């Protein structure tokens, strides 16, 4: 991974498995990373929101990065190192670089709700100090404020800021970011599984995906088809995955995906407090839906069949 190469393809936003003692299960974490690499993903994104970074200590955060980096051979590891405290984000980013991360995913400062100048200074300070490719992460539903497009366009000029994770749910805003950064080596990545195909259709280059933890081959098939221009196949797989995308966000992420991973024997369903385990009603419908995906290859399940399984 170099600072002049845009991010492309499918990069699962990895979960962080915990054991019965509420400690990180590093063996399971490594196994999950290896499973995803074997499934054909293009990168791994540990210790983001899906990885429950908010309830990890800084030392645990770094340990997760080291485990994932050591477990895989040929895919880049993009570590979540964002914070609402610039000094803390800078410290985590430096530690991630020392832990062999290949890139950084930086959520915009949450809670404090900075002004445009504050966003600019925050990201520029990290990009100036840490020589790794970095992805700006816009998710206003979690942070309380959207990164202004003017700021994103300025940041895209920085040699170390090479990507944007789009999780605003606003295709108009994402389209404007694409237009304003078209002259830069700047990747626009979907951060919303339900909108991955629409974002690819207007110029996006890939996805940082929750659903890819559970259905990596199917997600790779959809994104690969879209990037190759085969939108008929991409649409078919999009509709195939749509019920699962909805099911994985029926409660706060990563509650449902941890349950789905457990159903697939890839870790316990435990999440750290204040999150709680998926409700029994939703567990049953999720299990039924996942069973449907086990029976067919990508593109072979009709959307009506998966809709029925999720009810």
């Amino acid at each position: 991974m170099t600072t002049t190469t845009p991010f492309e393809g499918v990069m699962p936003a990895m979960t962080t498995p915990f054991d019965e003692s509420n400690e990180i299960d590093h063996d399971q974490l490594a196994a999950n990373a290896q499973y995803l690499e074997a499934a054909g993903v293009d990168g791994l994104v540990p210790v983001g929101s899906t990885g429950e970074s908010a309830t990890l200590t800084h030392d645990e955060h770094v340990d997760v990065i080291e485990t994932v980096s050591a477990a895989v051979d040929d895919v880049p590891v993009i570590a979540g190192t964002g914070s609402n405290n610039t000094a803390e984000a800078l410290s985590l980013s430096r530690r991630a670089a020392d832990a062999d991360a290949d890139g950084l995913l930086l959520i915009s400062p949450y809670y404090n709700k900075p002004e445009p100048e504050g966003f600019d200074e925050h990201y520029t300070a990290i990009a100036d100090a840490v020589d790794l490719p970095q992805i700006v992460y816009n998710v206003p539903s979690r942070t309380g404020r959207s990164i202004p497009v003017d700021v994103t366009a300025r940041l895209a000029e920085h040699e170390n800021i090479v990507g944007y994770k789009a999780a605003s749910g606003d295709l108009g805003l994402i389209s404007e970011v694409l237009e304003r950064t078209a002259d830069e080596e700047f990747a626009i990545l979907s951060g919303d599984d339900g909108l991955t195909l629409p974002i690819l259709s207007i110029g996006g280059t890939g996805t940082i995906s929750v659903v890819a933890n559970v259905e990596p081959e199917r997600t790779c098939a959809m994104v690969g088809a879209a990037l190759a221009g085969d939108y008929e196949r991409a649409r078919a797989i999009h509709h195939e995955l749509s019920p699962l995308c909805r099911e994985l966000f029926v409660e706060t992420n990563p509650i449902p995906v941890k349950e789905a991973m457990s159903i697939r024997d890839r870790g316990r369903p435990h999440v750290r407090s204040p999150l709680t385990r998926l409700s029994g009603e939703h567990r049953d419908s999720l299990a039924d839906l996942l069973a449907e995906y086990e029976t067919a290859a990508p593109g072979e399940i009709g959307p009506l069949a998966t809709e029925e399984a999720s009810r």
Side-chain angles (χ1 to χ4, degrees), residues 22-104:
N22 205 26
E23 300 295 326
I24 296 169
D25 185 342
H26 285 277
D27 290 340
Q28 185 65 58
L29 177 64
N32 289 346
Q34 290 164 354
Y35 164 77
L36 292 168
E37 181 179 31
V41 303
D42 301 284
L44 297 172
V45 185
V47 285
S49 303
T50 306
E52 297 177 76
S53 59
T55 55
L56 301 181
T57 68
H58 287 191
D59 286 344
E60 287 178 322
H61 198 109
V62 174
D63 289 345
V64 167
I65 298 167
E66 289 177 339
T67 294
V68 174
S69 295
V72 296
D73 296 319
D74 297 318
V75 294
V77 175
I78 300 95
T81 57
S83 171
N84 66 335
N85 175 339
T86 303
E88 183 175 84
L90 181 53
S91 174
L92 278 172
S93 297
R94 284 174 166 151
R95 293 185 69 182
D98 290 340
D100 293 327
D102 300 293
L104 307 175

Side-chain angles (χ1 to χ4, degrees), residues 225-273:
L227 292 176
D230 185 355
Y231 277 92
E232 182 176 357
R233 176 167 169 78
R235 278 193 300 272
I237 303 172
H238 163 81
H239 289 302
E240 204 171 79
L241 281 170
S242 288
L244 181 58
C245 293
R246 291 189 287 272
E247 199 75 20
L248 292 184
F249 292 92
V250 71
E251 293 182 18
T252 302
N253 180 49
I255 292 171
V257 71
K258 286 292 258 315
E259 195 73 40
M261 297 287 278
S262 177
I263 293 168
R264 291 280 176 88
D265 293 323
R266 294 180 200 137
R268 298 177 70 249
H270 180 70
V271 286
R272 280 186 174 172
S273 181

